[in-house]
Amino acid sequence: MSNEYAALSGDYTIDTAHSRVGFVARHAMVTKVRGSFDEFEGSIHIDGETPEKSSGKVTIQAKSINTRNSQRDDHLRSNDFLDMDNQPEITFASTGIRQTGDAEFVVSGDLSIRGVTKPVEIAFEYTGTATDPFGNERVGLEGSVVINRKDFGVSWNAALEGGGVLVSEKVTLEIEVSAIKNG
């Protein structure tokens, strides 16, 4: 970020009503299933002059998974997938940030799913800032990353009769954030 971003410096709280943490996974090798997590919270610290000093963290409630199919959601909450009874939270905490373009950044961090923590790099785009009708200063960010769910111990699958598997190993995580500057 250049000096034009200096005014963004500060601490922000993710506005969950206007943000989304979602995912996409291929199903039966032929289509994609999309879903989201409806309960999460997080914070962002932005250093507009030195973006490398910025940071962020998010905590997601595994039970809040929503694919618009209750039977599938119940299966995803089970020990076959997220094991929410034993591992109720999915977390991400940044460990580093680097600017890769005018409004593009790569956020490195530790992603924990099902009690397994692995480093990931999420490509983010700064989508702008605005003051909402209530006087809140907002900042927008969008990002995504492809992970292999087996890396996090989410290994259940079923073979298809004609070959292939029911659920892809690769899952795309999608993050759309509107954050409000604190105080």
Side-chain angles (χ1 to χ4, degrees):
M1 289 187 179
S2 64
N3 286 337
E4 66 184 276
Y5 293 114
L8 295 179
S9 292
D11 294 315
Y12 293 76
T13 300
I14 295 175
D15 177 6
T16 57
H18 296 98
S19 300
R20 178 178 178 269
V21 176
F23 60 89
V24 180
R26 193 158 289 283
H27 179 263
M29 310 288 291
V30 297
T31 190
K32 293 177 181 175
V33 169
R34 296 180 185 278
S36 62
F37 292 94
D38 295 339
E39 294 177 34
F40 58 93
E41 60 185 19
S43 60
I44 302 169
H45 170 75
I46 296 177
D47 186 321
E49 294 186 27
T50 313
E52 298 79 27
K53 294 181 180 177
S54 300
S55 60
K57 61 181 178 179
V58 176
T59 301
I60 301 164
Q61 299 305 314
K63 68 180 181 184
S64 73
I65 195 165
N66 182 354
T67 64
R68 299 179 298 121
N69 179 297
S70 61
Q71 186 176 7
R72 177 173 50 223
D73 292 348
D74 286 345
H75 190 201
L76 291 171
R77 290 179 187 112
S78 77
N79 188 45
D80 283 347
F81 288 95
L82 295 177
D83 190 21
M84 69 162 221
D85 289 338
N86 296 307
Q87 302 294 333
E89 294 180 340
I90 297 168
T91 61
F92 175 80
S94 67
T95 56
I97 295 176
R98 69 182 188 277
Q99 189 168 359
T100 57
D102 287 341
E104 292 81 34
F105 301 85
V106 172
V107 178
S108 302
D110 293 327
L111 178 63
S112 296
I113 300 173
R114 205 182 150 114
V116 176
T117 302
K118 298 281 184 182
V120 297
E121 290 192 335
I122 305 173
F124 274 98
E125 179 182 1
Y126 163 70
T127 58
T129 188
T131 301
D132 69 21
F134 305 102
N136 297 311
E137 187 177 333
R138 291 180 177 269
V139 64
L141 302 163
E142 292 182 0
S144 67
V145 62
V146 176
I147 63 167
N148 185 325
R149 64 186 179 85
K150 284 190 168 185
D151 291 346
F152 296 90
V154 183
S155 56
W156 182 91
N157 223 331
L160 297 176
E161 193 173 302
V165 291
L166 188 63
V167 183
S168 63
E169 290 181 14
K170 291 185 178 178
V171 177
T172 302
L173 301 179
E174 303 170 326
I175 304 105
E176 298 160 13
V177 172
S178 178
I180 299 172
K181 195 170 194 177
N182 298 343

